[in-house]
Amino acid sequence: MQMKEIGFGAAQPVDGYGPGFFRVGGRPVDGALCLSIEGLVAWGGLEDLDPLLELAGEVDVLLVGTGSQMEPLTASTLARLQESGLGVEVMSTPSACRTYNVLLGEGRRVALAVMPV
């Protein structure tokens, strides 16, 4: 079997997560986070849509992790994100982190907005 190195370019994958924190680029980050090719962005959680709306046109899909369990977004939140042109996929935070890393490794234009577990 031939193994290939995965290059993430300027983007950073999620190295790990735990109760209330994430590890990105080897550094711990407390609380919710938004991560894209541009790097780590401050995010206030599910009610803070401005940082997510700024990603419109920059990414094809936004993965939203709602914590340890998948919870649906409110209809108004989902509508605002989709109206901006973002493709939105909602899932649990662990699933969102794994999916983000895979899509990032494939060179896809992806962003991640996750609540801590």
Side-chain angles (χ1 to χ4, degrees):
M1 175 196 307
Q2 187 176 28
M3 302 289 282
K4 288 181 152 182
E5 282 287 322
I6 294 178
F8 295 103
Q12 295 179 335
V14 176
D15 298 327
Y17 53 86
F21 76 94
F22 297 89
R23 194 172 58 243
V24 177
R27 296 179 318 209
V29 178
D30 290 329
L33 68 83
C34 180
L35 192 57
S36 74
I37 190 79
E38 301 299 320
L40 190 62
V41 177
W43 186 47
L46 297 172
E47 291 79 35
D48 183 16
L49 296 184
D50 290 339
L52 307 182
L53 293 170
E54 290 177 13
L55 296 170
E58 302 297 320
V59 300
D60 297 322
V61 65
L62 170 65
L63 304 171
V64 179
T66 58
S68 59
Q69 300 289 323
M70 199 284 270
E71 300 288 336
L73 299 178
T74 64
S76 63
T77 296
L78 187 58
R80 282 191 65 201
L81 292 172
Q82 290 175 332
E83 287 168 3
S84 75
L86 286 169
V88 180
E89 293 292 331
V90 181
M91 56 191 74
S92 69
T93 291
S95 296
C97 290
R98 289 189 302 269
T99 304
Y100 173 77
N101 286 348
V102 168
L103 294 177
L104 195 62
E106 292 176 353
R108 302 276 304 275
R109 295 181 347 140
V110 62
L112 176 70
V114 286
M115 299 297 296
V117 295

